[in-house]
Amino acid sequence: MYLKSWRTWLFLGYISIVIYFSTTPGNELSWFSIMWKYDKAVHFAEYFVMGFLMINMLMIKPLKKVHWQFSLLFLLLFPLFDEMLQYYTPRRIPDIYDGICDICGGLVGAYIRKNI
């Protein structure tokens, strides 16, 4: 990671927002209830942006194979961590299908950013 780059701070800020919303109790997210019928699309889009921003951060210098592999591993494990975190958050329900949508969104976003 390149701490002097705005791309790095944008990615870290986005990760912080994702973690914040994952640890927010469900009753405090009532304003979000109108989006719940699009739950899977929201999860896909959330992690699409995360995958895109991660590769964008790593492409400050030429993307090495090991960086690509690390980012794929991160995009596979972080959504699972995120869903497990919701298990311990009051009034939140972890869902394996949300995790699958998260993983798919992250991988698609990373792949698109890598190839443009």
Side-chain angles (χ1 to χ4, degrees), residues 50-109:
M50 183 181 294
F52 191 93
L53 290 176
M54 175 177 242
I55 299 304
N56 192 49
M57 171 191 69
L58 294 173
M59 289 184 75
I60 294 169
K61 295 184 180 178
L63 188 62
K64 296 179 181 176
K65 185 177 181 179
V66 69
H67 294 145
W68 175 248
Q69 292 169 342
F70 167 75
S71 63
L72 294 180
L73 181 64
F74 178 83
L75 292 170
L76 288 171
L77 295 178
F78 188 78
L80 300 177
F81 166 76
D82 184 31
E83 291 300 318
M84 284 186 354
L85 191 59
Q86 290 181 23
Y87 178 77
Y88 297 103
T89 304
R91 297 180 185 86
R92 296 296 296 268
I93 301 169
D95 183 11
I96 190 68
Y97 298 112
D98 288 349
I100 291 170
C101 288
D102 294 343
I103 291 169
C104 292
L107 294 177
V108 170

CSV table of all heavy atoms in Angstrom, one decimal, residues 50-109:
chain,number,residue,atom,x,y,z
A,50,MET,N,-15.8,-1.8,-3.8
A,50,MET,CA,-14.6,-2.2,-3.0
A,50,MET,C,-13.5,-2.8,-3.8
A,50,MET,O,-12.4,-2.5,-3.7
A,50,MET,CB,-15.0,-3.1,-1.8
A,50,MET,CG,-13.8,-3.5,-0.9
A,50,MET,SD,-14.2,-4.6,0.4
A,50,MET,CE,-15.3,-3.6,1.3
A,51,GLY,N,-13.9,-3.8,-4.7
A,51,GLY,CA,-13.0,-4.4,-5.6
A,51,GLY,C,-12.3,-3.5,-6.5
A,51,GLY,O,-11.1,-3.5,-6.8
A,52,PHE,N,-13.1,-2.6,-7.1
A,52,PHE,CA,-12.6,-1.6,-8.0
A,52,PHE,C,-11.6,-0.7,-7.3
A,52,PHE,O,-10.5,-0.4,-7.8
A,52,PHE,CB,-13.8,-0.8,-8.6
A,52,PHE,CG,-13.5,0.1,-9.7
A,52,PHE,CD1,-13.6,-0.3,-11.0
A,52,PHE,CD2,-13.0,1.4,-9.5
A,52,PHE,CE1,-13.3,0.5,-12.1
A,52,PHE,CE2,-12.6,2.3,-10.5
A,52,PHE,CZ,-12.8,1.8,-11.8
A,53,LEU,N,-12.0,-0.2,-6.1
A,53,LEU,CA,-11.1,0.7,-5.4
A,53,LEU,C,-9.8,0.0,-5.0
A,53,LEU,O,-8.7,0.7,-4.9
A,53,LEU,CB,-11.8,1.3,-4.2
A,53,LEU,CG,-12.9,2.3,-4.5
A,53,LEU,CD1,-13.6,2.8,-3.2
A,53,LEU,CD2,-12.4,3.5,-5.3
A,54,MET,N,-9.9,-1.2,-4.6
A,54,MET,CA,-8.7,-2.0,-4.2
A,54,MET,C,-7.7,-2.1,-5.3
A,54,MET,O,-6.5,-1.8,-5.2
A,54,MET,CB,-9.1,-3.4,-3.7
A,54,MET,CG,-7.8,-4.2,-3.3
A,54,MET,SD,-8.3,-5.7,-2.6
A,54,MET,CE,-7.6,-5.6,-1.0
A,55,ILE,N,-8.2,-2.5,-6.5
A,55,ILE,CA,-7.3,-2.6,-7.6
A,55,ILE,C,-6.8,-1.2,-8.1
A,55,ILE,O,-5.6,-1.1,-8.4
A,55,ILE,CB,-7.9,-3.4,-8.8
A,55,ILE,CG1,-8.3,-4.8,-8.3
A,55,ILE,CG2,-7.0,-3.4,-10.0
A,55,ILE,CD1,-7.2,-5.6,-7.8
A,56,ASN,N,-7.6,-0.2,-8.0
A,56,ASN,CA,-7.2,1.1,-8.3
A,56,ASN,C,-6.1,1.6,-7.4
A,56,ASN,O,-5.2,2.2,-7.9
A,56,ASN,CB,-8.4,2.1,-8.2
A,56,ASN,CG,-8.2,3.4,-8.8
A,56,ASN,OD1,-7.7,3.5,-9.9
A,56,ASN,ND2,-8.5,4.4,-8.0
A,57,MET,N,-6.2,1.2,-6.1
A,57,MET,CA,-5.1,1.6,-5.2
A,57,MET,C,-3.8,0.8,-5.6
A,57,MET,O,-2.7,1.4,-5.5
A,57,MET,CB,-5.6,1.2,-3.8
A,57,MET,CG,-4.5,1.3,-2.7
A,57,MET,SD,-4.9,0.6,-1.2
A,57,MET,CE,-5.0,-1.2,-1.6
A,58,LEU,N,-3.9,-0.4,-5.9
A,58,LEU,CA,-2.7,-1.2,-6.2
A,58,LEU,C,-2.1,-0.9,-7.5
A,58,LEU,O,-0.9,-1.2,-7.8
A,58,LEU,CB,-3.1,-2.7,-6.1
A,58,LEU,CG,-3.5,-3.3,-4.7
A,58,LEU,CD1,-3.9,-4.7,-4.8
A,58,LEU,CD2,-2.3,-3.1,-3.8
A,59,MET,N,-2.9,-0.3,-8.4
A,59,MET,CA,-2.3,0.0,-9.8
A,59,MET,C,-1.6,1.4,-9.8
A,59,MET,O,-1.3,1.9,-10.9
A,59,MET,CB,-3.5,0.0,-10.8
A,59,MET,CG,-3.9,-1.4,-11.0
A,59,MET,SD,-5.2,-1.5,-12.3
A,59,MET,CE,-4.2,-1.3,-13.8
A,60,ILE,N,-1.2,1.9,-8.6
A,60,ILE,CA,-0.4,3.1,-8.6
A,60,ILE,C,0.9,2.8,-9.3
A,60,ILE,O,1.5,3.5,-10.1
A,60,ILE,CB,-0.2,3.6,-7.2
A,60,ILE,CG1,-1.5,4.1,-6.6
A,60,ILE,CG2,0.9,4.7,-7.1
A,60,ILE,CD1,-1.5,4.4,-5.1
A,61,LYS,N,1.4,1.6,-9.0
A,61,LYS,CA,2.6,1.0,-9.7
A,61,LYS,C,2.0,-0.2,-10.5
A,61,LYS,O,0.9,-0.6,-10.3
A,61,LYS,CB,3.6,0.5,-8.7
A,61,LYS,CG,4.2,1.7,-7.9
A,61,LYS,CD,5.3,1.2,-6.9
A,61,LYS,CE,5.9,2.3,-6.1
A,61,LYS,NZ,6.9,1.9,-5.2
A,62,PRO,N,2.8,-0.7,-11.4
A,62,PRO,CA,2.3,-1.8,-12.2
A,62,PRO,C,1.9,-3.0,-11.3
A,62,PRO,O,2.6,-3.3,-10.3
A,62,PRO,CB,3.5,-2.2,-13.1
A,62,PRO,CG,4.3,-1.0,-13.2
A,62,PRO,CD,4.1,-0.2,-11.9
A,63,LEU,N,0.7,-3.6,-11.6
A,63,LEU,CA,0.1,-4.6,-10.8
A,63,LEU,C,0.9,-5.9,-10.9
A,63,LEU,O,0.9,-6.5,-12.0
A,63,LEU,CB,-1.3,-4.8,-11.1
A,63,LEU,CG,-2.2,-5.7,-10.2
A,63,LEU,CD1,-2.2,-5.1,-8.8
A,63,LEU,CD2,-3.6,-5.8,-10.8
A,64,LYS,N,1.5,-6.4,-9.9
A,64,LYS,CA,2.2,-7.6,-9.9
A,64,LYS,C,1.3,-8.8,-9.6
A,64,LYS,O,0.2,-8.6,-9.1
A,64,LYS,CB,3.3,-7.6,-8.8
A,64,LYS,CG,4.4,-6.6,-9.1
A,64,LYS,CD,5.4,-6.7,-8.0
A,64,LYS,CE,6.5,-5.6,-8.2
A,64,LYS,NZ,7.5,-5.5,-7.2
A,65,LYS,N,1.7,-10.0,-10.0
A,65,LYS,CA,0.9,-11.1,-9.9
A,65,LYS,C,0.5,-11.4,-8.4
A,65,LYS,O,-0.6,-11.7,-8.0
A,65,LYS,CB,1.5,-12.4,-10.5
A,65,LYS,CG,0.7,-13.6,-10.4
A,65,LYS,CD,1.4,-14.8,-11.1
A,65,LYS,CE,0.5,-16.0,-11.1
A,65,LYS,NZ,1.1,-17.2,-11.7
A,66,VAL,N,1.5,-11.2,-7.5
A,66,VAL,CA,1.3,-11.4,-6.1
A,66,VAL,C,0.3,-10.4,-5.5
A,66,VAL,O,-0.5,-10.8,-4.6
A,66,VAL,CB,2.6,-11.4,-5.3
A,66,VAL,CG1,3.3,-10.0,-5.3
A,66,VAL,CG2,2.5,-12.0,-3.9
A,67,HIS,N,0.3,-9.2,-6.0
A,67,HIS,CA,-0.7,-8.2,-5.6
A,67,HIS,C,-2.1,-8.6,-6.0
A,67,HIS,O,-3.1,-8.5,-5.3
A,67,HIS,CB,-0.4,-6.8,-6.1
A,67,HIS,CG,0.9,-6.3,-5.5
A,67,HIS,ND1,1.7,-5.5,-6.2
A,67,HIS,CD2,1.5,-6.4,-4.3
A,67,HIS,CE1,2.8,-5.1,-5.5
A,67,HIS,NE2,2.6,-5.7,-4.3
A,68,TRP,N,-2.2,-9.1,-7.2
A,68,TRP,CA,-3.5,-9.6,-7.8
A,68,TRP,C,-4.0,-10.7,-6.9
A,68,TRP,O,-5.2,-10.8,-6.5
A,68,TRP,CB,-3.3,-9.9,-9.2
A,68,TRP,CG,-4.6,-10.5,-9.8
A,68,TRP,CD1,-4.7,-11.8,-10.3
A,68,TRP,CD2,-5.8,-9.9,-10.1
A,68,TRP,NE1,-6.0,-12.0,-10.8
A,68,TRP,CE2,-6.7,-10.8,-10.7
A,68,TRP,CE3,-6.3,-8.6,-9.8
A,68,TRP,CZ2,-8.0,-10.5,-11.0
A,68,TRP,CZ3,-7.6,-8.3,-10.2
A,68,TRP,CH2,-8.4,-9.2,-10.8
A,69,GLN,N,-3.1,-11.7,-6.6
A,69,GLN,CA,-3.5,-12.8,-5.8
A,69,GLN,C,-3.9,-12.4,-4.4
A,69,GLN,O,-4.9,-12.9,-3.8
A,69,GLN,CB,-2.4,-13.9,-5.7
A,69,GLN,CG,-2.1,-14.5,-7.1
A,69,GLN,CD,-0.9,-15.3,-7.1
A,69,GLN,OE1,0.0,-15.2,-6.2
A,69,GLN,NE2,-0.7,-16.2,-8.1
A,70,PHE,N,-3.2,-11.5,-3.8
A,70,PHE,CA,-3.5,-11.0,-2.5
A,70,PHE,C,-4.9,-10.3,-2.5
A,70,PHE,O,-5.7,-10.5,-1.6
A,70,PHE,CB,-2.5,-10.0,-2.0
A,70,PHE,CG,-3.0,-9.2,-0.8
A,70,PHE,CD1,-3.0,-9.8,0.5
A,70,PHE,CD2,-3.4,-7.9,-0.9
A,70,PHE,CE1,-3.4,-9.1,1.6
A,70,PHE,CE2,-3.8,-7.1,0.2
A,70,PHE,CZ,-3.8,-7.7,1.4
A,71,SER,N,-5.2,-9.5,-3.5
A,71,SER,CA,-6.4,-8.8,-3.6
A,71,SER,C,-7.6,-9.8,-3.8
A,71,SER,O,-8.7,-9.6,-3.2
A,71,SER,CB,-6.5,-7.8,-4.7
A,71,SER,OG,-6.3,-8.4,-6.0
A,72,LEU,N,-7.4,-10.9,-4.5
A,72,LEU,CA,-8.4,-11.9,-4.7
A,72,LEU,C,-8.7,-12.6,-3.4
A,72,LEU,O,-9.9,-12.8,-3.0
A,72,LEU,CB,-8.1,-12.9,-5.8
A,72,LEU,CG,-8.0,-12.3,-7.2
A,72,LEU,CD1,-7.6,-13.5,-8.2
A,72,LEU,CD2,-9.3,-11.7,-7.6
A,73,LEU,N,-7.6,-12.9,-2.6
A,73,LEU,CA,-7.8,-13.5,-1.3
A,73,LEU,C,-8.6,-12.6,-0.4
A,73,LEU,O,-9.5,-13.0,0.3
A,73,LEU,CB,-6.4,-13.9,-0.8
A,73,LEU,CG,-6.4,-14.6,0.6
A,73,LEU,CD1,-7.2,-15.9,0.5
A,73,LEU,CD2,-5.0,-14.8,1.1
A,74,PHE,N,-8.2,-11.3,-0.4
A,74,PHE,CA,-8.9,-10.4,0.5
A,74,PHE,C,-10.4,-10.3,0.1
A,74,PHE,O,-11.2,-10.3,1.0
A,74,PHE,CB,-8.2,-9.0,0.3
A,74,PHE,CG,-8.9,-7.9,1.1
A,74,PHE,CD1,-8.6,-7.8,2.5
A,74,PHE,CD2,-9.8,-7.1,0.6
A,74,PHE,CE1,-9.2,-6.8,3.2
A,74,PHE,CE2,-10.5,-6.1,1.3
A,74,PHE,CZ,-10.2,-5.9,2.6
A,75,LEU,N,-10.7,-10.2,-1.2
A,75,LEU,CA,-12.0,-10.1,-1.7
A,75,LEU,C,-12.8,-11.4,-1.4
A,75,LEU,O,-14.1,-11.4,-1.5
A,75,LEU,CB,-12.1,-9.7,-3.1
A,75,LEU,CG,-11.6,-8.3,-3.4
A,75,LEU,CD1,-11.4,-8.0,-4.9
A,75,LEU,CD2,-12.5,-7.2,-2.8
A,76,LEU,N,-12.2,-12.5,-1.2
A,76,LEU,CA,-12.9,-13.7,-0.8
A,76,LEU,C,-13.1,-13.8,0.7
A,76,LEU,O,-14.1,-14.3,1.2
A,76,LEU,CB,-12.1,-14.9,-1.3
A,76,LEU,CG,-12.0,-15.2,-2.7
A,76,LEU,CD1,-11.0,-16.3,-3.1
A,76,LEU,CD2,-13.4,-15.6,-3.2
A,77,LEU,N,-12.1,-13.3,1.5
A,77,LEU,CA,-12.2,-13.5,2.9
A,77,LEU,C,-12.9,-12.3,3.7
A,77,LEU,O,-13.6,-12.5,4.6
A,77,LEU,CB,-10.8,-13.6,3.5
A,77,LEU,CG,-10.1,-14.9,3.1
A,77,LEU,CD1,-8.7,-15.0,3.7
A,77,LEU,CD2,-10.9,-16.1,3.5
A,78,PHE,N,-12.8,-11.1,3.2
A,78,PHE,CA,-13.4,-9.9,3.9
A,78,PHE,C,-14.9,-10.0,3.9
A,78,PHE,O,-15.5,-9.7,5.0
A,78,PHE,CB,-12.9,-8.6,3.3
A,78,PHE,CG,-13.3,-7.4,4.1
A,78,PHE,CD1,-12.7,-7.1,5.2
A,78,PHE,CD2,-14.4,-6.7,3.7
A,78,PHE,CE1,-13.1,-6.0,6.0
A,78,PHE,CE2,-14.8,-5.6,4.4
A,78,PHE,CZ,-14.2,-5.2,5.6
A,79,PRO,N,-15.6,-10.4,2.8
A,79,PRO,CA,-17.0,-10.5,2.9
A,79,PRO,C,-17.5,-11.5,4.0
A,79,PRO,O,-18.5,-11.3,4.6
A,79,PRO,CB,-17.5,-10.9,1.5
A,79,PRO,CG,-16.4,-10.5,0.6
A,79,PRO,CD,-15.1,-10.6,1.5
A,80,LEU,N,-16.7,-12.6,4.1
A,80,LEU,CA,-17.1,-13.6,5.1
A,80,LEU,C,-16.9,-13.0,6.5
A,80,LEU,O,-17.7,-13.2,7.4
A,80,LEU,CB,-16.2,-14.9,4.9
A,80,LEU,CG,-16.4,-15.5,3.6
A,80,LEU,CD1,-15.5,-16.7,3.4
A,80,LEU,CD2,-17.9,-15.9,3.3
A,81,PHE,N,-15.8,-12.3,6.7
A,81,PHE,CA,-15.6,-11.6,8.0
A,81,PHE,C,-16.7,-10.6,8.3
A,81,PHE,O,-17.2,-10.5,9.4
A,81,PHE,CB,-14.2,-10.8,7.9
A,81,PHE,CG,-14.0,-9.8,9.0
A,81,PHE,CD1,-13.7,-10.2,10.3
A,81,PHE,CD2,-14.2,-8.5,8.8
A,81,PHE,CE1,-13.6,-9.3,11.4
A,81,PHE,CE2,-14.0,-7.6,9.8
A,81,PHE,CZ,-13.7,-8.0,11.1
A,82,ASP,N,-17.1,-9.9,7.2
A,82,ASP,CA,-18.2,-8.9,7.3
A,82,ASP,C,-19.5,-9.5,7.8
A,82,ASP,O,-20.2,-9.0,8.7
A,82,ASP,CB,-18.3,-8.2,6.0
A,82,ASP,CG,-19.4,-7.1,6.0
A,82,ASP,OD1,-19.5,-6.4,7.1
A,82,ASP,OD2,-20.0,-6.8,5.0
A,83,GLU,N,-19.8,-10.7,7.2
A,83,GLU,CA,-21.0,-11.4,7.6
A,83,GLU,C,-20.9,-11.9,9.0
A,83,GLU,O,-21.9,-11.9,9.7
A,83,GLU,CB,-21.4,-12.5,6.6
A,83,GLU,CG,-21.8,-11.9,5.2
A,83,GLU,CD,-23.1,-11.1,5.3
A,83,GLU,OE1,-24.0,-11.4,6.0
A,83,GLU,OE2,-23.1,-10.0,4.6
A,84,MET,N,-19.8,-12.4,9.4
A,84,MET,CA,-19.6,-12.9,10.7
A,84,MET,C,-19.7,-11.8,11.7
A,84,MET,O,-20.2,-12.0,12.8
A,84,MET,CB,-18.2,-13.7,10.9
A,84,MET,CG,-18.2,-15.0,10.3
A,84,MET,SD,-16.7,-16.0,10.5
A,84,MET,CE,-15.6,-15.0,11.3
A,85,LEU,N,-19.2,-10.6,11.4
A,85,LEU,CA,-19.3,-9.5,12.2
A,85,LEU,C,-20.8,-9.1,12.5
A,85,LEU,O,-21.1,-8.8,13.6
A,85,LEU,CB,-18.6,-8.3,11.6
A,85,LEU,CG,-18.3,-7.0,12.4
A,85,LEU,CD1,-17.5,-7.3,13.6
A,85,LEU,CD2,-17.6,-6.0,11.5
A,86,GLN,N,-21.6,-9.3,11.5
A,86,GLN,CA,-23.0,-9.0,11.7
A,86,GLN,C,-23.7,-10.0,12.7
A,86,GLN,O,-24.7,-9.7,13.3
A,86,GLN,CB,-23.7,-9.1,10.4
A,86,GLN,CG,-23.4,-7.9,9.5
A,86,GLN,CD,-24.1,-7.9,8.2
A,86,GLN,OE1,-25.1,-8.5,8.0
A,86,GLN,NE2,-23.5,-7.2,7.2
A,87,TYR,N,-23.1,-11.2,12.8
A,87,TYR,CA,-23.6,-12.2,13.7
A,87,TYR,C,-23.6,-11.7,15.2
A,87,TYR,O,-24.5,-12.0,16.0
A,87,TYR,CB,-22.8,-13.5,13.6
A,87,TYR,CG,-23.3,-14.6,14.6
A,87,TYR,CD1,-24.4,-15.3,14.3
A,87,TYR,CD2,-22.6,-14.9,15.7
A,87,TYR,CE1,-24.8,-16.3,15.2
A,87,TYR,CE2,-23.0,-15.8,16.6
A,87,TYR,CZ,-24.1,-16.6,16.3
A,87,TYR,OH,-24.5,-17.5,17.2
A,88,TYR,N,-22.6,-10.9,15.5
A,88,TYR,CA,-22.4,-10.4,16.8
A,88,TYR,C,-23.0,-9.0,17.0
A,88,TYR,O,-22.8,-8.4,18.0
A,88,TYR,CB,-20.9,-10.4,17.2
A,88,TYR,CG,-20.3,-11.7,17.2
A,88,TYR,CD1,-19.5,-12.2,16.1
A,88,TYR,CD2,-20.5,-12.6,18.2
A,88,TYR,CE1,-19.0,-13.5,16.1
A,88,TYR,CE2,-20.0,-13.9,18.2
A,88,TYR,CZ,-19.3,-14.3,17.2
A,88,TYR,OH,-18.8,-15.6,17.2
A,89,THR,N,-23.6,-8.5,16.0
A,89,THR,CA,-24.2,-7.1,16.0
A,89,THR,C,-25.7,-7.3,16.3
A,89,THR,O,-26.4,-8.1,15.7
A,89,THR,CB,-24.0,-6.4,14.7
A,89,THR,OG1,-22.6,-6.3,14.4
A,89,THR,CG2,-24.5,-5.0,14.7
A,90,PRO,N,-26.2,-6.5,17.3
A,90,PRO,CA,-27.6,-6.7,17.7
A,90,PRO,C,-28.5,-6.4,16.5
A,90,PRO,O,-28.3,-5.5,15.7
A,90,PRO,CB,-27.8,-5.6,18.8
A,90,PRO,CG,-26.4,-5.3,19.3
A,90,PRO,CD,-25.5,-5.6,18.2
A,91,ARG,N,-29.6,-7.2,16.4
A,91,ARG,CA,-30.6,-7.1,15.4
A,91,ARG,C,-30.1,-7.1,14.0
A,91,ARG,O,-30.6,-6.5,13.0
A,91,ARG,CB,-31.4,-5.8,15.6
A,91,ARG,CG,-32.1,-5.8,16.9
A,91,ARG,CD,-32.9,-4.5,17.1
A,91,ARG,NE,-33.5,-4.5,18.4
A,91,ARG,CZ,-32.9,-4.0,19.5
A,91,ARG,NH1,-31.7,-3.7,19.5
A,91,ARG,NH2,-33.5,-4.0,20.7
A,92,ARG,N,-29.0,-7.8,13.7
A,92,ARG,CA,-28.5,-8.1,12.4
A,92,ARG,C,-28.4,-9.6,12.2
A,92,ARG,O,-28.2,-10.3,13.1
A,92,ARG,CB,-27.1,-7.5,12.2
A,92,ARG,CG,-27.0,-6.0,12.4
A,92,ARG,CD,-27.7,-5.2,11.3
A,92,ARG,NE,-27.2,-5.5,10.0
A,92,ARG,CZ,-26.3,-4.7,9.4
A,92,ARG,NH1,-25.8,-3.7,10.0
A,92,ARG,NH2,-25.8,-5.0,8.2
A,93,ILE,N,-28.7,-9.9,10.9
A,93,ILE,CA,-28.7,-11.4,10.6
A,93,ILE,C,-27.7,-11.6,9.5
A,93,ILE,O,-27.8,-11.1,8.4
A,93,ILE,CB,-30.1,-11.8,10.1
A,93,ILE,CG1,-31.1,-11.5,11.2
A,93,ILE,CG2,-30.1,-13.2,9.7
A,93,ILE,CD1,-32.6,-11.6,10.8
A,94,PRO,N,-26.7,-12.4,9.7
A,94,PRO,CA,-25.7,-12.8,8.7
A,94,PRO,C,-26.4,-13.7,7.7
A,94,PRO,O,-27.3,-14.5,8.0
A,94,PRO,CB,-24.6,-13.5,9.4
A,94,PRO,CG,-25.2,-14.0,10.7
A,94,PRO,CD,-26.3,-13.0,11.0
A,95,ASP,N,-26.1,-13.6,6.4
A,95,ASP,CA,-26.7,-14.4,5.4
A,95,ASP,C,-25.6,-14.8,4.4
A,95,ASP,O,-24.9,-14.0,3.9
A,95,ASP,CB,-27.7,-13.5,4.7
A,95,ASP,CG,-28.5,-14.3,3.6
A,95,ASP,OD1,-28.4,-15.5,3.5
A,95,ASP,OD2,-29.3,-13.6,2.8
A,96,ILE,N,-25.5,-16.1,4.2
A,96,ILE,CA,-24.5,-16.7,3.3
A,96,ILE,C,-24.7,-16.1,1.9
A,96,ILE,O,-23.8,-15.9,1.1
A,96,ILE,CB,-24.5,-18.2,3.3
A,96,ILE,CG1,-23.3,-18.8,2.6
A,96,ILE,CG2,-25.8,-18.8,2.8
A,96,ILE,CD1,-22.0,-18.5,3.2
A,97,TYR,N,-26.0,-15.9,1.5
A,97,TYR,CA,-26.2,-15.4,0.1
A,97,TYR,C,-25.8,-13.9,0.0
A,97,TYR,O,-25.3,-13.5,-1.1
A,97,TYR,CB,-27.7,-15.5,-0.2
A,97,TYR,CG,-28.1,-17.0,-0.3
A,97,TYR,CD1,-29.0,-17.5,0.7
A,97,TYR,CD2,-27.6,-17.9,-1.2
A,97,TYR,CE1,-29.4,-18.8,0.7
A,97,TYR,CE2,-28.0,-19.2,-1.2
A,97,TYR,CZ,-28.9,-19.7,-0.3
A,97,TYR,OH,-29.2,-21.0,-0.3
A,98,ASP,N,-25.8,-13.2,1.1
A,98,ASP,CA,-25.2,-11.8,1.0
A,98,ASP,C,-23.7,-12.0,0.8
A,98,ASP,O,-23.1,-11.2,0.1
A,98,ASP,CB,-25.5,-11.1,2.3
A,98,ASP,CG,-27.0,-10.7,2.5
A,98,ASP,OD1,-27.7,-10.7,1.5
A,98,ASP,OD2,-27.3,-10.2,3.6
A,99,GLY,N,-23.1,-12.9,1.5
A,99,GLY,CA,-21.7,-13.1,1.4
A,99,GLY,C,-21.3,-13.5,0.0
A,99,GLY,O,-20.3,-13.0,-0.6
A,100,ILE,N,-22.1,-14.3,-0.7
A,100,ILE,CA,-21.8,-14.7,-2.0
A,100,ILE,C,-22.0,-13.5,-3.0
A,100,ILE,O,-21.1,-13.4,-3.9
A,100,ILE,CB,-22.8,-15.9,-2.5
A,100,ILE,CG1,-22.4,-17.2,-1.7
A,100,ILE,CG2,-22.7,-16.1,-4.0
A,100,ILE,CD1,-23.4,-18.3,-1.8
A,101,CYS,N,-23.0,-12.7,-2.8
A,101,CYS,CA,-23.1,-11.5,-3.6
A,101,CYS,C,-22.0,-10.5,-3.4
A,101,CYS,O,-21.5,-9.9,-4.3
A,101,CYS,CB,-24.5,-10.8,-3.3
A,101,CYS,SG,-25.9,-11.7,-3.9
A,102,ASP,N,-21.5,-10.5,-2.1
A,102,ASP,CA,-20.3,-9.6,-1.8
A,102,ASP,C,-19.1,-10.1,-2.6
A,102,ASP,O,-18.4,-9.3,-3.2
A,102,ASP,CB,-20.0,-9.6,-0.3
A,102,ASP,CG,-21.1,-9.0,0.5
A,102,ASP,OD1,-22.0,-8.3,0.0
A,102,ASP,OD2,-21.1,-9.3,1.8
A,103,ILE,N,-18.9,-11.4,-2.5
A,103,ILE,CA,-17.7,-12.0,-3.2
A,103,ILE,C,-17.8,-11.7,-4.7
A,103,ILE,O,-16.8,-11.3,-5.3
A,103,ILE,CB,-17.5,-13.4,-2.8
A,103,ILE,CG1,-17.1,-13.6,-1.4
A,103,ILE,CG2,-16.5,-14.1,-3.8
A,103,ILE,CD1,-17.2,-15.0,-0.9
A,104,CYS,N,-18.9,-12.0,-5.3
A,104,CYS,CA,-19.1,-11.8,-6.7
A,104,CYS,C,-18.9,-10.4,-7.1
A,104,CYS,O,-18.2,-10.1,-8.1
A,104,CYS,CB,-20.5,-12.3,-7.2
A,104,CYS,SG,-20.7,-14.1,-7.1
A,105,GLY,N,-19.5,-9.5,-6.4
A,105,GLY,CA,-19.3,-8.0,-6.7
A,105,GLY,C,-17.9,-7.6,-6.6
A,105,GLY,O,-17.4,-6.9,-7.4
A,106,GLY,N,-17.2,-8.0,-5.5
A,106,GLY,CA,-15.8,-7.6,-5.4
A,106,GLY,C,-14.9,-8.2,-6.5
A,106,GLY,O,-14.1,-7.4,-7.0
A,107,LEU,N,-15.1,-9.4,-6.9
A,107,LEU,CA,-14.3,-10.0,-7.9
A,107,LEU,C,-14.6,-9.3,-9.3
A,107,LEU,O,-13.7,-9.1,-10.1
A,107,LEU,CB,-14.6,-11.5,-8.0
A,107,LEU,CG,-14.1,-12.3,-6.8
A,107,LEU,CD1,-14.4,-13.8,-7.0
A,107,LEU,CD2,-12.6,-12.1,-6.5
A,108,VAL,N,-15.9,-9.1,-9.6
A,108,VAL,CA,-16.2,-8.4,-10.8
A,108,VAL,C,-15.6,-7.0,-10.9
A,108,VAL,O,-15.0,-6.6,-11.9
A,108,VAL,CB,-17.7,-8.4,-11.0
A,108,VAL,CG1,-18.1,-7.5,-12.2
A,108,VAL,CG2,-18.3,-9.8,-11.3
A,109,GLY,N,-15.8,-6.2,-9.8
A,109,GLY,CA,-15.2,-4.9,-9.7
A,109,GLY,C,-13.7,-4.9,-9.9
A,109,GLY,O,-13.1,-4.1,-10.6
